[in-house]
């Protein structure tokens, strides 16, 4: 009889212990600002034309329930090429695309203004940090079989 009670007690403890480790529905519903997609191998030849440079990009998505200021946030690759957001707010539920080449910034697309590619065609790591330097998200890829990675 004691053995049965101790097994039952252990099962109850394991169940409650597991529940403590799970996020609450409120935590899960908060969402995040995160790297969503890296299109690292632009279509066609890599000829450094502006349209080819803009064919590689990173998308950042805001799944929170409010707009988030990205002022001072940094997007970088493994070689430490950096794009620093100026005054910019990413709306709730919105995605922003950061293209490598030149163009006119809009609410949904930002341009780094570079004349050379940032994202390696075979492997690299994107890192997103807040202005304070704290890491928000990373996304790595290691493939030449596809041209993009959904993070």
């Amino acid at each position: 009889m004691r053995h049965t009670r101790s097994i039952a007690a252990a099962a109850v403890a394991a169940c409650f212990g597991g529940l403590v480790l799970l996020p609450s529905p409120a935590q899960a519903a908060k969402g995040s600002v995160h790297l969503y997609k890296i299109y690292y191998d632009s279509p066609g030849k890599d000829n450094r034309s502006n349209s080819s440079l803009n064919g590689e990009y990173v998308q950042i998505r805001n799944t929170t329930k409010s707009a988030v200021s990205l002022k001072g946030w940094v997007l970088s690759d493994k070689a430490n090429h950096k794009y620093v957001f100026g005054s910019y707010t990413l709306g709730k539920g919105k995605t922003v695309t950061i293209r490598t080449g030149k163009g006119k910034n809009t609410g949904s697309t930002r341009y780094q203004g570079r004349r050379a590619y940032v994202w390696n065609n075979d492997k690299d790591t994107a890192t997103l940090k807040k202005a304070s330097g704290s890491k928000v998200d990373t996304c790595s890829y290691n493939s030449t079989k596809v041209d993009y990675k959904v993070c």
Side-chain angles (χ1 to χ4, degrees):
M1 192 78 151
R2 285 187 203 175
H3 182 64
T4 305
R5 284 186 195 166
S6 63
I7 291 173
V12 169
C15 288
F16 283 119
L19 290 175
V20 172
L21 298 176
L22 296 175
S24 70
Q27 289 172 324
K30 285 184 182 180
S32 66
V33 174
H34 58 272
L35 296 166
Y36 175 68
K37 182 178 183 181
I38 305 171
Y39 204 110
Y40 55 86
D41 188 5
S42 60
K45 287 186 128 185
D46 287 349
N47 58 12
R48 288 193 180 190
S49 68
N50 194 53
S51 61
S52 180
L53 290 168
N54 282 332
E56 71 169 25
Y57 58 83
V58 175
Q59 291 181 320
I60 298 170
R61 182 169 280 177
N62 177 4
T63 59
T64 70
K65 294 187 183 227
S66 59
V68 176
S69 171
L70 300 185
K71 183 177 183 178
W73 286 39
V74 178
L75 171 66
S76 62
D77 72 337
K78 208 165 195 171
N80 210 26
H81 296 101
K82 293 180 181 179
Y83 172 75
V84 180
F85 281 89
S87 189
Y88 179 77
T89 300
L90 183 57
K92 68 178 181 175
K94 300 293 183 182
T95 299
V96 62
T97 300
I98 300 92
R99 297 190 180 273
T100 299
K102 296 177 183 178
K104 184 177 180 183
N105 289 336
T106 67
S108 61
T109 305
R110 312 308 275 180
Y111 294 88
Q112 295 190 47
R114 295 182 182 273
R115 294 184 178 172
Y117 299 96
V118 171
W119 306 103
N120 297 330
N121 288 352
D122 55 354
K123 62 182 176 178
D124 210 337
T125 299
T127 302
L128 182 63
K129 292 182 180 180
K130 290 184 177 181
S132 65
S134 64
K135 192 181 295 184
V136 175
D137 197 12
T138 61
C139 181
S140 297
Y141 58 89
N142 185 5
S143 176
T144 56
K145 293 181 180 179
V146 294
D147 300 330
Y148 64 91
K149 163 82 183 226
V150 175
C151 304

